[in-house]
């Protein structure tokens, strides 16, 4: 049976916790969102750590992912920079559109715990400057302790949703073999994050639709696709081809030991070869910034 206990991340009282069959815990927190955790995760943090961890979980939830929080993830998040001011402003704008929509009678309070977490704000005073910037641009109206979307703001959100060019997501198409886990965590994930984008891999998303539909949907909403041909996974060829067909940039990569196995149709493409995850992280960051530019969340 679910238990009501403080959140492991933010210490908000009376949050729902349950133990899974694999020994992990699932928490549903009004501030942080939904996440799984292991028993060896460091206990509740304050200040910067709480802000970064809550924001990270909310960002994962927005992408349909219920993340597993491990000590390694905690360290990774703590070592990462929070999103830029521009990105935090847009998170607030998107939250307004998603949570209350466009209505003169619909407002969102500065004290809303989920919005505080999603905008990487420790409290209402930290979120207020974001609201002031959006109000100056004419995207929202600010009331006493709350904000509401304007028609201009609603059109801004709608335009951003329809344009893949502003997406912060980098889709990773690769083999899911366990031998590739370190390459994803230490190479692809960190390289994409270092370039200012949000890495996404389809096996981390919980869904009820067909997997092909989910892949197509996530590629459509991505800024670019990393296609890693290591181990010659046929799905990677499909995903890269689909992305190219709808005009989304594809950055091909491959472990140096498998490079000679590439299909002859793509051997002429400038493929980033890698040997170790640490080298992949740096070279991938440079390739992304050269081809795509610096992402919005640095």
């Amino acid at each position: 049976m679910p238990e009501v206990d403080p959140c492991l991340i933010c210490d908000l009282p009376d949050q729902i916790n349950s133990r899974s069959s694999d020994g992990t815990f699932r928490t549903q927190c009004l501030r942080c969102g939904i996440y799984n955790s292991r028993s060896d995760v460091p206990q509740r943090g304050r200040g910067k750590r709480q802000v970064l961890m809550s924001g990270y979980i909310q960002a994962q939830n927005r992408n349909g992912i219920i993340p597993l929080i491990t000590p390694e993830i905690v360290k990774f998040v703590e070592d990462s920079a929070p999103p830029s001011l521009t990105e935090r402003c847009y998170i607030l704008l998107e939250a307004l559109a998603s949570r209350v929509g466009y209505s003169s009678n619909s407002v969102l309070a500065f004290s809303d715990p989920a919005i505080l977490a999603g905008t990487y704000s420790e409290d209402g005073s930290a979120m207020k400057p974001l609201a002031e910037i959006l109000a100056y641009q004419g995207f929202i109206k600010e009331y006493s302790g709350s904000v509401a979307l304007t028609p201009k703001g609603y059109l801004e959100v709608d335009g951003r949703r329809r344009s893949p060019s502003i997406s912060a997501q980098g889709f990773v198409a690769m083999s899911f073999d366990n031998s590739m886990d370190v390459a994803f965590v230490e190479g692809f994930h960190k390289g994409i994050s270092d370039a200012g984008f949000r890495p996404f891999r389809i096996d981390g998303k919980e869904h009820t639709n067909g997997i092909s539909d989910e892949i197509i949907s996530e590629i459509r909403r991505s800024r670019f696709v990393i296609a890693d041909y290591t181990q010659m996974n046929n799905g990677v060829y499909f995903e890269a081809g689909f992305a190219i067909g709808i005009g989304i940039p594809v950055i091909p990569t491959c472990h140096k030991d498998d490079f000679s196995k590439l299909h002859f149709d793509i051997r002429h493409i400038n493929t980033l070869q890698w040997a170790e995850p640490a080298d992949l992280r740096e070279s991938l960051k440079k390739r992304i910034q050269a081809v795509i530019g610096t992402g919005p969340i640095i």
Side-chain angles (χ1 to χ4, degrees):
M1 294 291 294
E3 299 177 357
V4 178
D5 294 303
C7 171
L8 181 71
I9 304 300
C10 71
D11 208 21
L12 196 67
D14 301 333
Q15 303 311 302
I16 299 174
N17 296 271
S18 58
R19 183 188 292 271
S20 302
S21 58
D22 61 359
T24 61
F25 296 88
R26 171 161 295 188
T27 300
Q28 299 180 52
C29 175
L30 291 175
R31 179 185 175 98
C32 300
I34 306 175
Y35 63 92
N36 298 322
S37 61
R38 296 193 328 219
S39 59
D40 57 349
V41 172
Q43 298 298 302
R44 307 163 185 97
R46 296 291 183 182
K48 180 182 177 181
R49 177 190 164 190
Q50 174 191 310
V51 169
L52 290 174
M53 286 302 304
S54 296
Y56 169 80
I57 295 168
Q58 283 281 355
Q60 296 291 303
N61 286 178
R62 286 196 299 273
N63 282 328
I65 301 170
I66 298 176
L68 173 62
I69 305 302
T70 64
E72 293 78 16
I73 289 294
V74 172
K75 184 179 187 307
F76 170 75
V77 173
E78 287 181 333
D79 291 343
S80 302
S84 66
L85 185 62
T86 300
E87 178 76 358
R88 292 174 63 213
C89 284
Y90 179 66
I91 292 171
L92 176 56
L93 195 64
E94 173 69 37
L96 276 168
S98 299
R99 292 280 295 276
V100 300
Y102 168 56
S103 170
S104 58
N105 297 320
S106 298
V107 297
L108 196 64
F110 282 154
S111 59
D112 185 292
I115 303 303
L116 289 175
T119 57
Y120 291 78
S121 303
E122 188 168 3
D123 51 33
S125 62
M127 193 172 76
K128 187 172 176 58
L130 309 181
E132 291 175 345
I133 293 171
L134 293 174
Y136 178 78
Q137 295 175 307
F139 294 149
I140 67 172
K141 290 181 179 179
E142 186 177 353
Y143 301 93
S144 176
S146 60
V147 290
L149 207 61
T150 65
K152 182 179 179 181
Y154 197 83
L155 290 174
E156 175 71 11
V157 172
D158 185 65
R160 286 174 174 262
R161 287 173 175 174
R162 295 174 183 272
S163 173
S165 63
I166 53 81
S167 173
Q169 178 166 291
F171 185 99
V172 181
M174 63 181 294
S175 168
F176 295 156
D177 188 87
N178 291 340
S179 63
M180 294 290 290
D181 287 349
V182 174
F184 175 69
V185 173
E186 298 297 328
F188 293 106
H189 195 290
K190 290 186 177 180
I192 293 171
S193 299
D194 290 347
F197 293 92
R198 187 178 299 114
F200 176 87
R201 198 169 77 163
I202 195 65
D203 65 327
K205 178 175 182 177
E206 295 193 2
H207 59 84
T208 56
N209 300 323
I211 186 65
S212 295
D213 292 339
E214 291 295 328
I215 288 171
I216 289 172
S217 174
E218 292 299 338
I219 290 176
R220 285 188 182 278
R221 66 197 299 264
S222 298
R223 177 67 181 90
F224 59 89
V225 169
I226 302 296
D228 184 71
Y229 295 104
T230 306
Q231 300 184 354
M232 302 297 113
N233 184 286
N234 290 333
V236 175
Y237 284 91
F238 163 76
E239 292 157 34
F242 176 77
I244 292 171
I246 60 174
I248 291 179
V250 173
I251 298 176
T253 65
C254 186
H255 192 279
K256 65 180 183 64
D257 291 344
D258 283 352
F259 184 75
S260 62
K261 303 174 187 176
L262 284 176
H263 193 279
F264 70 90
D265 285 342
I266 64 170
R267 286 179 188 168
H268 66 284
I269 299 175
N270 184 17
T271 301
L272 176 64
Q273 297 185 56
W274 59 275
E276 299 295 335
D279 297 330
L280 172 61
R281 173 182 182 176
E282 184 60 27
S283 57
L284 184 60
K285 170 192 172 183
K286 292 179 180 177
R287 180 65 60 89
I288 292 170
Q289 291 183 329
V291 175
I292 310 298
T294 299
I297 60 175
I298 282 185

